[in-house]
Amino acid sequence: MLLQGKKLLITGVLTPQSLAFGVAEHAIAQGAEVILTGFGRAKSLTERSAKRLKPGTEVLELDVTNPAHFPALTEALRQKWGRVDGVLHAIAFAPEDALGGNFLNTPWESVQTAFRISAFSVKELAVACAPLMTNGGSIVALDFDNRQAWPIYDWMGVCKAAMEATVRYLARDLGPKGIRVNALAAGPLATVAAKGIPGFKALAQYWGKQAPLGWSDKDSHDHVAKTACALLSDWLSSTTGEMIHVDGGYHAVGAPPVETVETPAEGVQANPTPKDG
């Protein structure tokens, strides 16, 4: 199996609708051992989801805004497993006033919160797990491609762009240790997090019209989860610092297909034939 014997830390599981839950589910099916993280009141949701994955699946405390939690995570993983082979970073958050067309008015305090949770935490998680990745390994960060500006996404888009840069720098610094670091850029998916983004439904509906392979915000979770498992495996052993797209091909096409061709104006010849001389 693709992940036989691998020990994977997976963050970001809340409910079975979470994309991270799908990754964990496929990873277990492919032979991996999995530990989840959660924190605060939401940890009970993670623990409930863990039982649906596999009885006995452990949930460790990790609040990425609490610096003390990272060394505690390292020690807990050391005692439980002694090593880690792969990590999924699936954590992102932006306050309401950092989304939905409020870009010019968002205060620094909200931007700071979004950046710490959505971008800086990738570095913190990598630093916490790298000492345990003694045989090399793979770190995968869930992403939404932000090489261009999007409607409604605002400061979360800026944070995702920062996360993409962070992935490249981590790939540079951790590569000599045999640790690969990649971003997985998915198209819009119906998750708990997506419900908090104003205008998400409109974006998701438009996406399927442009993506050459089509796209469903409800049915494409499986495609993303399988790709994440491939990245966490040994099969992409020389791929690092990349942004891997699982978006139906949307990123490769500049605009939706032209549905109709306008009729040339009267007296104008369409595709005129060149004349000699």
Side-chain angles (χ1 to χ4, degrees):
M1 291 189 284
L2 193 64
L3 294 168
Q4 186 65 48
K6 297 291 187 186
K7 300 182 185 298
L8 306 180
L9 178 71
I10 294 184
T11 68
V13 172
L14 281 178
T15 71
Q17 286 70 48
S18 301
L19 181 52
F21 181 92
V23 177
E25 193 171 40
H26 279 288
I28 291 170
Q30 289 297 319
E33 293 182 62
V34 165
I35 288 179
L36 309 181
T37 70
F39 78 99
R41 288 182 296 176
K43 188 180 178 186
S44 61
L45 293 176
T46 305
E47 290 169 340
R48 194 178 307 164
S49 295
K51 293 176 183 177
R52 294 188 59 173
L53 281 170
K54 184 179 179 181
T57 298
E58 194 169 346
V59 180
L60 299 178
E61 184 85 14
L62 178 63
D63 176 357
V64 298
T65 67
N66 187 334
H69 280 202
F70 289 101
L73 175 69
T74 304
E75 187 56 32
L77 290 170
R78 192 190 309 277
Q79 291 183 14
K80 175 70 176 179
W81 281 339
R83 77 170 203 274
V84 172
D85 300 306
V87 177
L88 179 74
H89 181 281
I91 300 170
F93 171 77
E96 187 177 352
D97 60 357
L99 296 164
N102 196 47
F103 187 84
L104 296 178
N105 301 313
T106 304
W108 163 243
E109 290 76 16
S110 295
V111 174
Q112 183 181 42
T113 297
F115 183 85
R116 183 175 190 178
I117 295 173
S118 307
F120 187 68
S121 65
V122 180
K123 189 278 292 186
E124 293 284 79
L125 187 62
V127 169
C129 293
L132 301 176
M133 302 180 88
T134 51
N135 297 325
S138 175
I139 298 171
V140 177
L142 296 187
D143 189 18
F144 185 74
D145 185 353
N146 269 270
R147 294 174 297 176
Q148 58 278 311
W150 293 98
I152 73 180
Y153 213 43
D154 292 357
W155 284 100
M156 179 57 83
V158 175
C159 292
K160 286 294 188 181
M163 190 197 78
E164 291 157 10
T166 301
V167 162
R168 292 189 289 271
Y169 279 94
L170 286 171
R172 179 197 68 183
D173 289 355
L174 296 179
K177 301 178 185 296
I179 300 172
R180 296 169 283 119
V181 188
N182 293 287
L184 198 165
L189 294 167
T191 62
V192 173
K195 292 179 180 179
I197 302 175
F200 171 83
K201 288 185 178 180
L203 178 63
Q205 290 171 357
Y206 177 80
W207 202 276
K209 296 178 181 179
Q210 179 165 322
L213 294 176
W215 186 259
S216 167
D217 64 311
K218 295 181 176 63
D219 300 330
S220 297
H221 289 70
D222 202 48
H223 307 160
V224 180
K226 287 179 179 178
T227 304
C229 287
L231 285 167
L232 290 166
S233 78
D234 295 330
W235 279 68
L236 282 82
S237 57
S238 290
T239 299
T240 195
E242 283 286 356
M243 183 195 302
I244 308 296
H245 290 85
V246 185
D247 64 353
Y250 180 100
H251 74 281
V253 180
V258 177
E259 300 294 339
T260 58
V261 179
E262 292 184 5
T263 303
E266 186 176 352
V268 177
Q269 181 180 351
N271 301 319
T273 302
K275 296 181 180 179
D276 291 339

